[in-house]
Amino acid sequence: QVQLVESGGGVVQAGDSLRLSCAASGRTFGNYVMGWFRQAPGKEREFVATVSRSGLSTSYADSVKGRFAISRDNAKNTVYLQMNSLKPEDTAVYYCAAKETRVFVAMSDYDYWGQGTQVTVSS
């Protein structure tokens, strides 16, 4: 069992930056691929970014590529999402998720989810 707690959301203006954190507790954090997802009002949840167990490999949605950066600190059991040049369309609840696997997987395959943190970007 893994418990995930996101933090760092808030209300910002377009062009600002935010860093989200996701603290994990439970079993060995380094065994898990971690992902960030988001869900805007009236829309389905979508993939944002994912990071490998070591932190050396990452993947991003096209909509955030070049603006967002995912990273992890296995010593601190924490994964981060640095969000730069935020746009109003980035407004959503952001979730982190974990999957005990060696490869990147689809959103539906993640086993553990946090409760989410709200990010609101005003124009």
Side-chain angles (χ1 to χ4, degrees):
Q1 189 78 9
V2 174
Q3 293 79 42
L4 303 172
V5 179
E6 302 96 335
S7 61
V11 180
V12 297
Q13 293 187 330
D16 286 350
S17 298
L18 274 178
R19 188 176 80 155
L20 306 183
S21 300
C22 173
S25 61
R27 300 176 67 182
T28 306
F29 181 68
N31 288 347
Y32 291 81
V33 165
M34 301 298 297
W36 283 99
F37 301 84
R38 67 186 182 186
Q39 188 166 17
K43 295 187 177 181
E44 294 187 350
R45 192 171 299 188
E46 65 177 4
F47 165 75
V48 175
T50 187
V51 62
S52 63
R53 301 190 306 175
S54 66
L56 295 178
S57 296
T58 58
S59 180
Y60 297 93
D62 287 343
S63 59
V64 305
K65 204 171 292 184
R67 299 188 298 121
F68 289 12
I70 188 171
S71 61
R72 66 190 295 161
D73 185 338
N74 286 347
K76 295 183 178 180
N77 286 9
T78 302
V79 62
Y80 304 98
L81 185 68
Q82 178 66 45
M83 305 186 295
N84 300 325
S85 302
L86 282 161
K87 304 175 181 180
E89 51 263 44
D90 295 319
T91 295
V93 177
Y94 283 72
Y95 300 89
C96 72
K99 171 72 175 180
E100 190 170 11
T101 180
R102 289 184 174 88
V103 298
F104 290 161
V105 296
M107 180 171 63
S108 59
D109 290 331
Y110 279 80
D111 295 317
Y112 303 102
W113 292 83
Q115 83 290 347
T117 185
Q118 176 72 46
V119 172
T120 302
V121 184
S122 61
S123 56

